[in-house]
Amino acid sequence: MGKEIWQFEHTVACNTDKSFAWAFWTDVRNWERLEGNAVEWIRLNGPFEKGTSGETKSQGQEPHSWRITALEPEQSATIDITLDGAVFSNIILMDTIAPKSTKITQRLSLSGDKAASFVNGMKMFETTAPQGLKKLAEAIEAASKS
């Protein structure tokens, strides 16, 4: 779709093994719980695999469609949201740091011919993404202990 014109990346450590962290993250029911009142629902239209589409319905908005465009099980997944002349990509990467310790990286980017018109709106993720990733790691750790 074109060259990336904006990118943001953040990493957290999670005190659980990568397999558990991956299984937790790829269950979109957990995404709904983590988002709380910010979303009405999140749906995955099939298994969590490359090519599967999904939708997210935020409060007071029309649903946003997205697609899993790349997947390396227990390693990485790319979820793309197509905008008018642009693509917003959310990449999750998981690496083992040590036994029972996983590094989770979220890389967000914006590309496409009309991507510049979306940059200001995407910059909010520079504040919210680190908070969301920390919340994800805490939820994974709590679930691994129960």
Side-chain angles (χ1 to χ4, degrees):
M1 184 99 193
K3 182 179 137 187
E4 288 181 359
I5 66 157
W6 172 84
Q7 183 177 20
F8 179 77
E9 183 174 301
H10 186 71
T11 299
V12 296
C14 182
N15 294 316
T16 190
D17 65 79
K18 185 169 71 167
S19 292
F20 186 88
W22 182 263
F24 184 95
W25 181 72
T26 57
D27 182 346
V28 298
R29 293 172 298 183
N30 291 322
W31 300 1
E32 277 189 10
R33 286 192 285 276
L34 289 167
E35 291 293 332
N37 293 333
V39 299
E40 289 183 31
W41 47 259
I42 300 173
R43 295 185 183 139
L44 183 63
N45 302 319
F48 197 96
E49 61 186 35
K50 183 178 177 182
T52 300
S53 65
E55 293 180 300
T56 301
K57 170 85 169 80
S58 296
Q59 299 291 339
Q61 297 181 16
E62 292 298 313
H64 294 283
S65 296
W66 44 270
R67 181 170 303 282
I68 301 168
T69 58
L71 181 70
E72 292 289 330
E74 293 193 18
Q75 303 277 334
S76 66
T78 302
I79 296 173
D80 286 341
I81 299 172
T82 302
L83 306 169
D84 182 23
V87 174
F88 174 66
S89 295
N90 177 12
I91 302 170
I92 294 291
L93 304 150
M94 292 193 185
D95 294 303
T96 298
I97 300 170
K100 301 283 185 191
S101 187
T102 303
K103 178 175 77 170
I104 304 173
T105 300
Q106 183 177 33
R107 183 178 299 143
L108 305 172
S109 65
L110 189 61
S111 61
D113 296 337
K114 296 182 182 177
S117 64
F118 295 98
V119 170
N120 287 338
M122 295 300 161
K123 287 190 180 253
M124 72 170 182
F125 289 111
E126 294 174 10
T127 302
T128 61
Q131 296 166 357
L133 204 53
K134 180 181 180 210
K135 189 176 178 181
L136 172 64
E138 290 169 350
I140 291 169
E141 289 173 4
S144 73
K145 293 176 180 150
S146 57

